[in-house]
Amino acid sequence: MSYQRLLSLAFLLLIPTDLYALDFSKSTCGSNGNYTGNTAYGANLNNTLSSLSTDIGNDGFYNASTGQGPDRVSAVALCRGDVQLDTCRECVQKGVAGIRDSCPVQKQAVYWDDFCTLRYSNATVYGTLATSPVYYLMNTQNVTSPEQFRADLRTLLDNLRRRAAGGSSARKVAGGNATGPDFQMIFGLVQCTPDLSSGDCTSCLVGAISEIPQCCDGKKGGRVLRPSCNLRFESAPFFNESRLQELEFVPPPPPVIVEPPPPSGKKSGSTTQTIVIIVVVIVVCLILLLVSAIIFLRKIKKHKPTEIPQTVDEISTAESLQYAFSTVKAATNDFSDHNKLGQGGFGTVYKGKLPNGLEIAVKRLSRDSGQGDMEFKNEVLLLAKLQHRNLVRLLGFALEGMEKLLVYEFVQNASLDNFIFDSVRHLDLDWDRRYKIIGGIARGSLYLHEDSRLKIIHRDLKASNILLDREMSPKIADFGMARLFRQDETQGNTSRIVGTYGYMPPEYLIHGQFSIKSDVYSFGVLVLEIISGRKNNGFRSRGDSVGDLLSFAWESWQEGRGGEVVDPFLRSGSGSTNEMLRCIHIGLLCVQDDAADRPTMASVVLMLSSFSITLNLPSKPAFYAATGYGSDASLIHNADSTNSHHETTSSRNDASITDLHPR
Ligand SMILES: *[C@@H]1O[C@H](CO)[C@@H](O)[C@H](O)[C@H]1NC(C)=O
Ligand SMILES: *[C@@H]1O[C@H](CO)[C@@H](O)[C@H](O)[C@H]1NC(C)=O
Ligand SMILES: *[C@@H]1O[C@H](CO)[C@@H](O)[C@H](O)[C@H]1NC(C)=O
Ligand SMILES: *[C@@H]1O[C@H](CO)[C@@H](O)[C@H](O)[C@H]1NC(C)=O
Ligand SMILES: *[C@@H]1O[C@H](CO)[C@@H](O)[C@H](O)[C@H]1NC(C)=O
Ligand SMILES: *[C@@H]1O[C@H](CO)[C@@H](O)[C@H](O)[C@H]1NC(C)=O
Ligand SMILES: *[C@@H]1O[C@H](CO)[C@@H](O)[C@H](O)[C@H]1NC(C)=O
């Protein structure tokens, strides 16, 4: 046994928290060919590997490559995010020895152990997502209440993977703990090689999480080890939490309003160019229109100043929107429970009445938005300028210390989910009303996407975010929250995430990508929910099989039985069956798997208002079970099921997620 090995063994034995595989290490050799003895490849490999352990620095990540063309060797080493540099170097050294022992002639290989991961290949390794081979380890102890444990573990790991994927290009790691059922503690750590993009890190970890059922279902601990990422959970602490926190670098998150490039460039360049040209022309026209409208309004204003509704120009400073904290506090009766209207993802909402008699809804933001007061004011100012019949109006804000309040117009009726999913109140919404609601939501979203200056992606369109006024007109609430919260709004609020799984498009779940097409997807789900009166989340069709509303709607519609999707109450009413079927059709177009295939909100509005427009045939929507372990993960999981042995040793040649997802 080598000196290094003894050293690291001694080190490992000092940490009694690893309940199994105290000295775990595993090498897996590639199957893409061998090299022979004293070739250039061999020499390059020697050089590359020896530089790993000496040159790895405090980041705990190092990439190296030597040689050219077919003799090029590239390698990366990654240490667990909490280990000290000396431990890290020892681990990498041990890994180099281990990998040479186990894979003396192979052109590529992976090595895992408690504190580090290494891999080398003749193909480029740096920045390349590799999800196989995969290696599992499990603790043999069973948990109690496995159902609940699974859910809690899932929540913890989803949270951690979001944090890890949001990390910098130097570190993508997150650790934390949660209390499971029967006071069982769960400690979890997830890590990606930091050279991955945030989207690749997400897809790698989502895939790893989805493999827990094969790896270690119902066990107190387990690990899923992939070349590009790994996860581990235990019932006892196994990593140095304080060191992780110390090193955690919180980078400013990317602005959410900017649209990411459309996923998968299926469309040809010329189509893109045409679209760009059309958009430019439309924008120019809109600007011209706006300018002439403003000039026109100004002219009118000179003559009849009192009749002009509040225009954009009138809200020019944040101060004009600022309410005294004490006023708002008094208006809500000191935020009394009696005045509570509901609890949203970002805080609690209270009803209030200002001294002048105006009824308001006040959102008390649940935590610090991560913004300074000035920045917050500016954002509110921008959002307050958004005015549309189908948006809940933001009237202003109030600040005091850490407290931030948003003041909205009060909307008379409850949110849409209180109607469509309620066994009694759904009778209040006949087809005419529902059709108007669908149209209103579409116009409100269109305004957010295209008509307002800000181009806002709502990111959380769902039935509970649609409020109904006295006339049952819909008003979209909670828009622009992503602007107010600088961090990823989903962080630290898992209940909200779980609650809206059914509305999230696949590209967000897999790659973390948001675009206006994500909202279109959510809108499609919403349309199908409004028509069917059933929730996408936890939807059960025909008694036994748990499916989602989307697959049910798709299948029924495909087979010419679209009427089965429609709420029985509507079927018995006088509403137009054609309109209902057309709405199902539009809904299905919106939930298509490929974001590029989904219509824009502008087309949706057009399709809803003009029956002479012929609709495309929708392709199959992205199905995923919306329960428990399934949810976001199952997409990748299904595609990867050939790889589901307890231990997979074959090294498929750096298969990337896109390979796993033939369209
Ligand atoms: C590479 O070498 C290993 C071990 O010597 C052997 O089992 C394997 O068949 C070889 N692979 C190829 C493609 O030659
Ligand atoms: C690479 O290193 C191994 C042992 O460290 C040695 O046996 C081998 O000859 C070296 N190969 C080359 C091409 O230098
Ligand atoms: C790591 O990879 C990056 C990108 O390929 C490259 O710029 C950098 O030089 C590499 N570092 C080393 C030490 O080879
Ligand atoms: C790596 O080696 C294998 C086997 O010799 C070869 O098929 C493959 O093309 C090589 N890849 C690269 C990127 O050179
Ligand atoms: C854990 O549960 C499995 C099946 O549920 C059972 O076969 C096994 O014996 C249990 N192990 C322990 C350590 O209780
Ligand atoms: C669990 O996590 C919290 C928050 O990160 C931390 O303060 C606490 O010390 C952890 N608990 C244990 C037992 O490590
Ligand atoms: C954990 O990390 C902190 C900060 O780096 C360090 O002071 C402490 O000694 C570490 N604890 C253990 C058990 O290694």
Side-chain angles (χ1 to χ4, degrees), residues 132-210:
S132 72
V134 61
Y135 192 74
Y136 304 142
L137 276 170
M138 76 171 184
N139 187 320
T140 49
Q141 285 183 291
N142 292 338
V143 297
T144 59
S145 321
E147 270 309 305
Q148 186 57 40
F149 186 89
R150 256 174 228 133
D152 292 338
L153 174 63
R154 172 73 197 222
T155 304
L156 172 67
L157 293 178
D158 274 349
N159 229 321
L160 294 178
R161 74 145 163 93
R162 287 197 175 82
R163 273 170 49 199
S168 68
S169 58
R171 279 172 73 77
K172 288 193 168 59
V173 57
N177 63 64
T179 310
D182 311 319
F183 303 105
Q184 300 169 98
M185 283 304 289
I186 316 173
F187 292 82
L189 186 77
V190 307
Q191 185 165 19
C192 291
T193 59
D195 55 329
L196 292 188
S197 66
S198 155
D200 280 348
C201 177
T202 302
S203 63
C204 191
L205 288 173
V206 164
I209 293 170
S210 78

Side-chain angles (χ1 to χ4, degrees), residues 257-276:
I257 306 301
V258 177
E259 221 186 314
S264 84
K266 267 208 309 203
K267 300 285 183 279
S268 72
S270 67
T271 323
T272 320
Q273 271 174 7
T274 320
I275 292 173
V276 169

Side-chain angles (χ1 to χ4, degrees), residues 29-35 102-107:
C29 310
S31 56
N32 78 333
N34 295 337
Y35 66 92
S102 316
C103 313
V105 296
Q106 281 80 3
K107 276 195 168 175

Side-chain angles (χ1 to χ4, degrees), residues 13-307:
L13 289 171
L14 289 176
I15 300 178
T17 52
D18 191 0
L19 299 175
Y20 57 97
L22 259 184
D23 182 17
F24 157 73
S25 70
K26 168 79 192 168
S27 301
T28 298
C29 310
S31 56
N32 78 333
N34 295 337
Y35 66 92
T36 40
N38 275 333
T39 55
Y41 194 86
N44 289 340
L45 184 58
N46 275 7
N47 284 339
T48 314
L49 291 183
S50 62
S51 72
L52 288 181
S53 65
T54 49
D55 292 350
I56 196 163
N58 274 317
D59 286 342
F61 176 75
Y62 190 71
N63 68 303
S65 68
T66 319
Q68 296 297 326
D71 294 327
R72 183 165 182 267
V73 178
S74 71
V76 299
L78 173 73
C79 285
R80 209 173 71 187
D82 62 316
V83 303
Q84 308 274 358
L85 184 57
D86 48 353
T87 314
C88 172
R89 287 201 166 139
E90 273 161 27
C91 183
V92 173
Q93 218 162 7
K94 176 183 156 209
V96 169
I99 213 168
R100 297 314 304 267
D101 272 358
S102 316
C103 313
V105 296
Q106 281 80 3
K107 276 195 168 175
Q108 70 177 32
V110 192
Y111 170 91
W112 296 280
D113 107 8
D114 290 303
F115 298 127
C116 66
T117 303
L118 317 180
R119 82 187 218 254
Y120 72 83
S121 173
N122 65 330
T124 299
V125 165
Y126 183 82
T128 311
L129 173 65
T131 55
S132 72
V134 61
Y135 192 74
Y136 304 142
L137 276 170
M138 76 171 184
N139 187 320
T140 49
Q141 285 183 291
N142 292 338
V143 297
T144 59
S145 321
E147 270 309 305
Q148 186 57 40
F149 186 89
R150 256 174 228 133
D152 292 338
L153 174 63
R154 172 73 197 222
T155 304
L156 172 67
L157 293 178
D158 274 349
N159 229 321
L160 294 178
R161 74 145 163 93
R162 287 197 175 82
R163 273 170 49 199
S168 68
S169 58
R171 279 172 73 77
K172 288 193 168 59
V173 57
N177 63 64
T179 310
D182 311 319
F183 303 105
Q184 300 169 98
M185 283 304 289
I186 316 173
F187 292 82
L189 186 77
V190 307
Q191 185 165 19
C192 291
T193 59
D195 55 329
L196 292 188
S197 66
S198 155
D200 280 348
C201 177
T202 302
S203 63
C204 191
L205 288 173
V206 164
I209 293 170
S210 78
E211 283 170 10
I212 289 176
Q214 286 107 275
C215 147
C216 26
D217 190 32
K219 303 298 178 187
K220 284 190 171 172
R223 307 186 204 182
V224 176
L225 304 167
R226 293 175 153 204
S228 284
C229 68
N230 60 74
L231 72 81
R232 179 173 180 187
F233 65 96
E234 304 289 349
S235 56
F238 64 94
F239 59 92
N240 187 338
E241 168 123 31
S242 55
R243 184 158 163 83
L244 264 191
Q245 279 171 358
E246 208 175 276
L247 295 174
E248 190 165 3
F249 166 62
V250 186
V256 288
I257 306 301
V258 177
E259 221 186 314
S264 84
K266 267 208 309 203
K267 300 285 183 279
S268 72
S270 67
T271 323
T272 320
Q273 271 174 7
T274 320
I275 292 173
V276 169
I277 292 171
I278 292 174
V279 169
V280 168
V281 169
I282 291 176
V283 167
V284 169
C285 289
L286 281 177
I287 290 173
L288 285 178
L289 256 177
L290 192 73
V291 169
S292 38
I294 289 174
I295 294 172
F296 182 58
L297 280 175
R298 286 222 170 117
K299 274 190 183 156
I300 299 181
K301 202 170 173 179
K302 278 182 192 147
H303 299 300
K304 311 189 231 165
T306 48
E307 279 179 31

Side-chain angles (χ1 to χ4, degrees), residues 510-525:
I510 297 173
H511 300 293
Q513 286 172 339
F514 264 104
S515 71
I516 53 173
K517 295 295 184 73
S518 340
D519 278 356
V520 172
Y521 181 94
S522 312
F523 172 81
V525 174

